[in-house]
Amino acid sequence: MKLKKLLEGIEVSDCSEGVLDYEIEGISEDSREDLEGKAFVCLVGEHNDGHDYIGKAVEKGAKVLICERVPQGFEEYPHVIVNSTRRTDAFLWSRFYGDPADSLKVLCVTGTNGKTTITYMLKSILEEMGKKVGVIGTIKNMIGDVEVKSSMTTPLPAQLYKLIADMRDAGVEYLVMEASSHALDYEKLAPITPEIGIFTNLTPDHLDYHGTMANYAKAKAKLFKMSKISVINADDSYGKYMYEQASGRRYTYSRESRYADFTAQNIVSNGIRGSEYDLISENEAIHISCAIPGAFSVSNSLAAAVSARLCGASCKDVALALRRLQGVSGRMETVSLGGDFTVLIDYAHTPDALENVLKTIRAFKTPSQRLVALFGCGGDRDKTKRPVMGGIATAMADFTVITSDNSRTEDPKEIIRQILTGVSEGSNYTVIPNRTEALQWVVRNARKDDIILVAGKGHENYEITAEGKHPFSEKAILKAALAEKESGRN
């Protein structure tokens, strides 16, 4: 494909003579690859700058360099100068695969919490309509019913646009995807015009990258400048900002106010069995039953229902699909152990998410039941939330087990020390740095009718430590611990 075709829509500030007519056989951002016939994109990132690897790229046979500045020492080498190599990289890959997103109706969900649950709710409703649906997100990617491995919430452009092209070729009609703040900030989604952009909420997270909540909000708001329709949570303090940033049609939803476009009214909690409510708009009312407990699940199902209705789903499709959906992996998921206590696994890894899930459990547990929370904080991530989460867990749970959770390159004990700075004197807790041992401990010490919340990892089937990434199944560890307890070997 000619380079000028790949660069359509990208502002080129300078280029070598004749370079736009070059035939390009591929694209790469890795100077270690064989680059014969390929365009080498000099990505500028947090820790690395692709311009520093131009010499290696030339040695590897790069046909042309895509840069943000004239390549020093290689001024005569074929090159193109653009304003942002990140943005350009996304367009190059999209063009390379024939702009596959243009053939699909794309629904994007962004926010700190709730993204994954909403994507699966939407998938359920759209399939109830008889549509073939693709999913890109945290748990896994899916082309219809076929699972595709997922390594990050929003894949890199090379993988993202190949995946969307595979969806197009497989006959997918709707793509429902999570849009992370990193992906939006890096403009991975720049070539896509979503039919609908959905905002869930914004609470402190990823501040190790964004620095401030203002920057975090600005990154998230990019989605609503791109989307044809924006569906905004009016209950969130950042909802007004997102609404103001939206460039297309705008709708609000709320479980707390009757002044939004779509509201949840007559809410009834059925405890661990979920909630039901009436979705009310100017023109209609739909009775919704959701099997996932918690006020946040009312908000999530409301967002999914509203977005699906805007896509043409009938009231019947919406109500039936949400009633049938029994849950999402690692989101308030009940683990069937067979013991005389209950274990819930949840992905809660931010202060707001942890508080919400603990508040939900406290609302449906009986006075005689004990709430035990097990959690840790990730390494090489925002350190400011560690003491906050320590304070929330020990204040809201009857007993807390503080442990590790993907410590990465950090010392787990140092992470725990920082968590403990937020714990009040006299709180009921224990510290068990090894997460396997912590899981075994909560099972051995579980009392009849206890509700045990295992927070932080959710769907994850791995643990990341200084030694690297290795398989880690919380469910398997819990089941083995119960079997050992019941055999009397503990």
Side-chain angles (χ1 to χ4, degrees):
M1 186 180 294
K2 286 191 181 295
L3 184 57
K4 63 183 175 184
K5 177 67 175 176
L6 289 170
L7 288 170
E8 279 184 4
I10 293 296
E11 183 179 344
V12 174
S13 58
D14 190 22
C15 64
S16 303
E17 184 176 354
V19 72
L20 295 180
D21 289 319
Y22 281 15
E23 285 288 339
I24 301 299
E25 298 174 14
I27 305 157
S28 179
E29 307 83 8
D30 190 342
S31 63
R32 297 167 296 183
E33 293 182 355
D34 179 2
L35 299 177
E36 290 290 337
K38 295 182 180 180
F40 176 70
V41 185
C42 303
L43 292 184
V44 179
E46 278 185 273
H47 308 295
N48 293 293
D49 186 340
H51 296 80
D52 296 336
Y53 301 92
I54 285 176
K56 291 184 179 179
V58 170
E59 289 177 11
K60 288 288 188 174
K63 192 165 187 177
V64 61
L65 307 172
I66 310 295
C67 317
E68 291 184 8
R69 54 184 181 270
V70 176
Q72 296 299 309
F74 298 91
E75 292 85 354
E76 302 304 315
Y77 202 85
H79 64 270
V80 173
I81 308 298
V82 297
N83 291 332
S84 167
T85 50
R86 286 280 178 186
R87 181 180 177 83
T88 300
D89 191 52
F91 274 94
L92 287 171
W93 284 109
S94 180
R95 298 278 186 269
F96 189 77
Y97 287 111
D99 291 320
D102 292 351
S103 301
L104 309 177
K105 292 183 178 179
V106 182
L107 283 65
C108 289
V109 189
T110 199
T112 306
N113 302 308
K115 297 186 296 296
T116 300
T117 299
I118 292 173
T119 59
Y120 281 89
M121 288 177 170
L122 277 168
K123 179 178 186 290
S124 179
I125 299 169
L126 292 168
E127 288 178 340
E128 192 67 39
M129 295 169 61
K131 306 299 183 182
K132 187 167 185 178
V133 183
V135 173
I136 296 177
T138 306
I139 297 179
K140 58 189 173 185
N141 302 322
M142 298 189 73
I143 302 177
D145 295 327
V146 179
E147 294 186 17
V148 181
K149 186 178 179 182
S150 174
S151 59
M152 61 180 68
T153 300
T154 311
L156 296 172
Q159 292 79 45
L160 175 62
Y161 292 98
K162 170 65 166 63
L163 178 58
I164 298 175
D166 290 343
M167 291 181 180
R168 174 199 60 199
D169 297 343
V172 166
E173 298 170 78
Y174 282 86
L175 165 58
V176 184
M177 67 183 296
E178 298 178 45
S180 70
S181 59
H182 291 75
L184 290 164
D185 199 45
Y186 280 147
E187 301 202 79
K188 292 181 187 179
L189 308 182
I192 300 174
T193 302
E195 292 292 320
I196 298 179
I198 303 165
F199 173 66
T200 63
N201 48 67
L202 201 74
T203 60
D205 197 19
H206 305 302
L207 297 185
D208 51 312
Y209 171 77
H210 294 290
T212 66
M213 286 297 292
N215 289 339
Y216 186 27
K218 185 178 179 181
K220 292 289 192 184
K222 287 185 177 183
L223 176 62
F224 308 107
K225 295 178 180 180
M226 300 160 52
S227 300
K228 296 178 183 178
I229 299 173
S230 295
V231 175
I232 307 292
N233 182 3
D235 297 332
D236 190 82
S237 60
Y238 282 89
K240 183 175 183 291
Y241 173 74
M242 300 301 168
Y243 188 89
E244 291 170 346
Q245 297 300 305
S247 60
R249 289 159 53 199
R250 303 173 293 183
Y251 297 92
T252 56
Y253 67 94
S254 172
R255 73 167 196 267
E256 298 175 359
S257 168
R258 297 199 173 193
Y259 297 103
D261 297 308
F262 298 87
T263 61
Q265 298 181 29
N266 308 315
I267 301 171
V268 176
S269 172
N270 296 317
I272 199 169
R273 298 188 307 279
S275 303
E276 55 187 288
Y277 61 92
D278 294 323
L279 190 167
I280 306 295
S281 68
E282 184 179 2
N283 301 315
E284 66 189 21
I286 312 173
H287 188 71
I288 303 291
S289 295
C290 176
I292 307 173
F296 54 87
S297 294
V298 173
S299 295
N300 291 341
S301 59
L302 184 57
V306 169
S307 301
R309 285 291 287 138
L310 293 171
C311 288
S314 69
C315 297
K316 181 181 178 182
D317 289 335
V318 170
L320 188 58
L322 289 175
R323 186 166 69 246
R324 285 177 174 170
L325 184 67
Q326 292 304 301
V328 178
S329 177
R331 272 64 178 174
M332 283 292 281
E333 180 183 3
T334 302
V335 182
S336 300
L337 294 180
D340 57 2
F341 54 91
T342 301
V343 176
L344 299 170
I345 287 181
D346 193 85
Y347 192 48
H349 60 282
T350 66
D352 180 67
L354 184 61
E355 181 176 2
N356 282 336
V357 73
L358 287 169
K359 187 183 296 182
T360 295
I361 297 171
R362 292 206 71 83
F364 66 68
K365 84 177 191 69
T366 65
S368 62
Q369 287 181 298
R370 199 174 58 138
L371 170 54
V372 178
L374 180 151
F375 88 103
C377 291
D380 300 336
R381 297 294 186 268
D382 181 12
K383 297 180 180 181
T384 62
K385 66 183 181 182
R386 294 172 183 174
V388 179
M389 291 179 70
I392 289 170
T394 51
M396 299 188 70
D398 299 307
F399 193 86
T400 303
V401 179
I402 300 172
T403 185
S404 300
D405 183 354
N406 292 337
S407 56
R408 298 180 176 86
T409 65
E410 288 193 67
D411 180 355
K413 293 180 180 178
E414 175 57 22
I415 294 174
I416 291 171
R417 186 195 68 76
Q418 293 173 23
I419 292 172
L420 291 174
T421 61
V423 175
S424 299
E425 187 176 347
S427 298
N428 294 319
Y429 71 92
T430 189
V431 171
I432 305 175
N434 183 292
R435 195 172 181 96
T436 297
E437 293 175 3
L439 291 165
Q440 293 168 337
W441 189 93
V442 293
V443 171
R444 283 199 307 269
N445 291 275
R447 302 175 188 172
K448 186 176 184 297
D449 296 328
D450 273 358
I451 299 177
I452 300 171
L453 171 67
V454 178
K457 298 189 72 62
H459 63 281
E460 291 179 352
N461 58 4
Y462 58 84
E463 177 77 355
I464 306 174
T465 65
E467 288 72 42
K469 184 175 180 179
H470 55 88
F472 190 90
S473 170
E474 292 188 319
K475 294 176 186 177
I477 294 167
L478 290 164
K479 288 176 181 178
L482 180 62
E484 186 172 330
K485 177 179 181 178
E486 291 181 339
S487 70
R489 295 198 304 271
N490 62 316

